[in-house]
Amino acid sequence: MKYCESRLYQNVMQELDHEYQSINDVGNREVEAANYATSFLYQMRVVCGRTVLNLLRNPQTSYAQLALNIFFGILVGLIYYQMPLTLPEGLQNRSGAFFFLIINMVFGNLSAVELFINERAIFIHENSSGYYRTSVYFLSKIFADLIPNRIIPIFIFSAIAYYMMGNILTYASNVQVQYW
């Protein structure tokens, strides 16, 4: 009971009231920020244009991604160079090759997370100011990054590995299934 009558208790309660008030103010601001002055498509065009411009100003990441995929494509192609067309060995080798191809594609795309981490502070500031919707930011980042850093390097990796391994599709058409 003495604590409830103390000055420390009153200070804590004032701080809690202040915190509750600030939480309510933030909640009210979020409702007000939901009304945007421009349309979704206009915001998308502006933010996507800015993202593409940033990618063009800093092409090192695209070049590094491309060089890394060329290197790994040659490496996987050399490991599985001209696989035999026999059923047991060819099947095991192709299973291993598909494993490497899929793992490279999955882990190569994990670098997309870095896009959002690097610009976190900018996004929080611009989004809380009501410049654009959250969905616009993320979609424009994904669309601008998709072709130069995701599709082209994976296509080049797959093309190099495919031709060095000895046309996997040729193997599939040459295998004859026997039924007992």
Side-chain angles (χ1 to χ4, degrees):
M1 264 336 225
K2 284 271 188 191
Y3 174 72
C4 292
E5 298 171 2
S6 70
R7 182 75 183 144
L8 180 64
Y9 174 77
Q10 292 172 359
N11 289 341
V12 168
M13 292 308 288
Q14 286 176 348
E15 282 293 319
L16 285 174
D17 287 340
H18 177 69
E19 290 298 320
Y20 289 141
Q21 184 64 32
S22 66
I23 290 172
N24 289 336
D25 290 344
V26 169
N28 292 339
R29 261 190 278 144
E30 287 177 2
V31 171
E32 293 170 6
N35 299 328
Y36 295 100
T38 57
S39 69
F40 178 85
L41 293 176
Y42 180 77
Q43 290 176 7
M44 186 73 150
R45 186 182 67 148
V46 171
V47 177
C48 198
R50 183 180 73 178
T51 305
V52 168
L53 192 60
N54 286 339
L55 283 173
L56 291 175
R57 288 179 180 163
N58 187 14
Q60 292 86 359
T61 56
S62 298
Y63 294 150
Q65 190 89 11
L66 189 63
L68 192 64
N69 276 297
I70 289 172
F71 173 74
F72 281 127
I74 292 171
L75 185 67
V76 170
L78 287 174
I79 291 171
Y80 294 102
Y81 186 71
Q82 297 297 316
M83 286 187 268
L85 294 177
T86 58
L87 190 57
E89 298 88 8
L91 188 62
Q92 280 185 326
N93 286 340
R94 280 172 176 70
S95 297
F98 279 132
F99 172 76
F100 277 115
L101 291 171
I102 291 169
I103 290 297
N104 182 50
M105 290 178 193
V106 169
F107 285 122
N109 288 327
L110 287 179
S111 65
V113 174
E114 180 187 8
L115 292 171
F116 305 115
I117 294 171
N118 290 340
E119 295 184 4
R120 182 176 182 264
I122 295 170
F123 166 72
I124 290 172
H125 169 71
E126 291 177 347
N127 186 271
S128 64
S129 298
Y131 292 156
Y132 48 76
R133 295 169 177 82
T134 305
S135 59
V136 166
Y137 175 77
F138 286 104
L139 286 174
S140 67
K141 282 290 184 188
I142 289 170
F143 289 149
D145 186 62
L146 192 63
I147 292 175
N149 291 337
R150 306 293 160 229
I151 293 177
I152 292 173
I154 288 176
F155 178 74
I156 290 173
F157 169 81
S158 300
I160 292 170
Y162 174 77
Y163 285 107
M164 286 183 76
M165 283 187 237
N167 298 345
I168 296 172
L169 295 177
T170 306
Y171 174 74
S173 65
N174 289 338
V175 173
Q176 296 176 354
V177 179
Q178 295 178 354
Y179 295 102
W180 285 283

